[in-house]
Every structure is written in structure tokens, then in C-alpha cells.
Amino acid sequence: MANSGNRGDSRLRPILTPDEHETRLARGDIFERGGYLVWPGCKLSQLVHRRPEGITAHQWSSAIRARFDFVVCDATDYTPSFVVGFDDPARRTAGDQRGDRMTNAVCEAVGLALVRIESTALTAAAQGRRIVEYLLDAVGYRNAGLLDPDEPAYPDELSPGGALGYRDIIGRLPDGRTGFVNDLGAVARAAAVDAYASRRLADPIIRGLHATWKNGPAEGWGWAEVRDGDCLFERVRIWQHRFSCGVDPARLAEDLAAAAIGERLMLLDLAEPELVPRQELSREFELLRQRRDEMETEFAFDHLIFE
């Protein structure tokens, strides 16, 4: 079974009764996917009914105010399995970061898995449900025994048992081409080709890279050249605590960065886009490369050239 949280802790309370489940499902307040129930918007205080051992009163009083964009529960007993939150880095403060650490500590203490996605373009309201559904589909693929749940690596092609990784399944894309159907950036990549054909982009390819920081987030970049030397640029970071769906979080972050570029491509004709000069991307890239010792895995993008 995929590691999508450690259910069964007595401090984690079911968020619904059977009657509430039927009512809220009929109203569309919640949705089900792959044997899980998803409730959009919930406070930590609604999930944990008493302060865990090892958590200070200050940590507890701060953490219980934390609100998650999605709570994923087992559809049979309604016990929380993992939570997902979306953050806009432009609005983050030092106080928010301290609050995150306290929330992480409480979630760790009760075995509640946590996924936090940081992006300026991807939001819980607009893209959140699709992303949560993707995570649950990947969990279901892994739970079905198609991947070895005890294998720590994130295979790019085949798992040790010969099963194709969820992200590497090939099929027909929305534009009719053959490609990776579980690439969350696939629609954006097709849109970039169309934008190039209509002369709204200088290059038809959404390019990207990814890295994973030691004891930190996975980070993905995406960029597309709009005019010669000026690019749309998106950075997505993903924090995973006690969570794994079988997809490399760094690769997922890069796919989400491409999806974020796609969101901005839809606005090209509505307003002048905020662009990043290629020289600035080059400087950012050099700073990233200089921090390779802080990365969990080998940095594989030395071949990139922005000039």
C-alpha cells in the first residue's frame, strides 16, 4: 500500500458521520476518488482532538488554527489520511513559515501526512481538485501492486519488478499526439505549440528543470520564451511530509511548473505578461547550480544554457 499517511491514530478524529457523508456528497461539498473521500477546506482542530505528547502548548495553540485546502480521508471510516495545502510565495511571511513548522510538528506527532504546494499561478480554487485527484490516482496505481510500495526510488521507466511508473505511462494526449498521459504539464505543452503557431510565442517548447533540497522541498522550474530574450517563468515547490504516491516529487514539481506556464499562456491576449529576461534566468540558474551540495540528488541540468 502506498505511504499516503498513517491512519488509525486515536488522536485523529473522523471528520464525518455516515449521514453527513451522504448529505454532503449529494450537495457536492465533498467528492470521492479511488476509495478516498476529499473534503475541501478544514482546520487542523477539526482533525486532531487533543494535544499530542511532545507538542508544547504554544505549538498546539498555533497549529490548530492552520487550515488545509483539502483533507483526504478513507471513504469507509472517514479518518484523515493526508492533507494538501496551496500557498502563494508572494504572500508568505516569516510568521507563516513559523506556523508551518508548528503545523508540521503536530502532523508528524499524530501521523498525518502533509503535502504543501507553493506556486504563484496554481491555486486550490482553480487547479486544486485536479491535482488532488492526480495524487489519488497515483496512489491507486501504486496500491494496485503495479509498483513495489517498499521501493524508495522513483523510477523514470521501470520499477525493479518491471512495472511502468505512473508518470511514464504513454498514451494519446488531448491534442492527438502520443506522449506521457500523466504529465500534468501535457496540456500546457500542447498550448505552447499552438501559441507558437499563432506567433504569440517565440519558441514552442516549455522548458524545465527540477531539484530536491536536503530536508526541504522539491523544486521545479518552467519557462517559455515569449519574445526573443524574454520568458514566462514559473517556480513550484512541493513539501511532502510522510507522504508518497510513487511519483518523484521533483518531477511532479517540474510538471506543475509547466502547468503554471499554461495558466499564464491563457492570459497572453488579455494583458501584457510579466516576463523575465533570459539573462536573469541565467543568473538564477547559476545560483541554483552553485548550491548543488545542498541537493538530495545529483543535479542533472549542467547542460542548460540561457545566454
Side-chain angles (χ1 to χ4, degrees):
M1 183 173 182
N3 175 20
S4 58
N6 185 17
R7 302 191 344 266
D9 191 295
S10 62
R11 291 162 296 198
L12 286 173
R13 60 166 63 134
I15 64 172
L16 289 170
T17 66
D19 288 342
E20 288 172 334
H21 168 251
E22 294 303 323
T23 300
R24 290 182 178 275
L25 192 62
R27 289 204 312 242
D29 296 339
I30 58 179
F31 64 92
E32 293 180 335
R33 185 85 169 193
Y36 289 91
L37 175 72
V38 184
W39 185 331
C42 195
K43 288 185 177 180
L44 184 59
S45 59
Q46 296 173 266
L47 310 180
V48 184
H49 65 42
R50 68 175 186 270
R51 176 160 59 100
E53 294 181 7
I55 297 299
T56 67
H58 176 63
Q59 288 176 315
W60 177 244
S61 64
S62 174
I64 59 174
R65 295 193 297 269
R67 185 175 181 85
F68 304 114
D69 293 302
F70 297 92
V71 178
V72 179
C73 305
D74 185 278
T76 57
D77 63 12
Y78 316 127
T79 303
S81 179
F82 68 94
V83 294
V84 181
F86 287 79
D87 294 318
D88 181 348
R91 300 180 179 180
R92 301 286 290 163
T93 66
D96 292 330
Q97 294 171 5
R98 287 192 298 272
D100 287 346
R101 291 192 290 271
M102 295 179 188
T103 301
N104 294 346
V106 172
C107 289
E108 177 68 26
V110 299
L112 180 61
L114 169 64
V115 182
R116 184 175 286 114
I117 298 171
E118 183 182 279
S119 169
T120 58
L122 304 177
T123 67
Q127 298 84 21
R129 175 166 177 167
R130 173 69 189 97
I131 293 171
V132 171
E133 289 176 341
Y134 179 93
L135 296 177
L136 290 176
D137 289 346
V139 165
Y141 182 84
R142 191 170 182 179
N143 285 356
L146 299 173
L147 285 176
D148 180 358
D150 297 320
E151 173 58 44
Y154 298 96
D156 284 338
E157 295 181 355
L158 297 177
S159 73
L164 193 67
Y166 180 74
R167 169 58 175 77
D168 298 282
I169 296 172
I170 296 175
R172 187 172 295 278
L173 298 173
D175 63 354
R177 296 178 301 118
T178 296
F180 297 114
V181 294
N182 294 322
D183 168 11
L184 282 172
V187 172
R189 299 182 205 282
V193 173
D194 291 341
Y196 174 75
S198 61
R199 298 185 177 181
R200 291 180 297 145
L201 285 185
D203 188 307
I205 300 175
I206 297 177
R207 306 180 190 277
L209 61 82
H210 59 260
T212 303
W213 301 102
K214 295 176 182 176
N215 301 314
E219 181 171 326
W221 291 15
W223 63 93
E225 193 164 10
V226 177
R227 295 189 288 268
D228 186 26
D230 292 319
C231 304
L232 293 173
F233 173 71
E234 288 291 334
R235 186 195 328 254
V236 173
R237 294 188 176 102
I238 300 176
W239 282 261
Q240 291 189 173
H241 301 279
R242 302 178 65 93
F243 178 86
S244 172
C245 66
V247 177
D248 179 358
R251 199 172 180 198
L252 176 58
E254 183 178 341
D255 288 348
L256 287 175
I261 291 292
E263 295 298 318
R264 295 186 59 191
L265 287 176
M266 292 189 290
L267 304 176
L268 278 180
D269 295 333
L270 301 178
E272 178 66 18
E274 181 180 345
L275 302 178
V276 177
R278 199 161 50 193
Q279 293 86 345
E280 184 175 334
L281 277 182
S282 180
R283 290 192 292 270
E284 287 276 340
F285 175 70
E286 186 57 33
L287 291 173
L288 183 75
R289 186 161 53 181
Q290 289 173 6
R291 298 178 60 194
R292 65 173 68 244
D293 290 344
E294 302 173 43
M295 297 177 187
E296 191 172 275
T297 56
E298 182 179 355
F299 186 64
F301 297 93
D302 284 311
H303 61 282
L304 291 178
I305 300 175
F306 289 88
E307 298 297 343

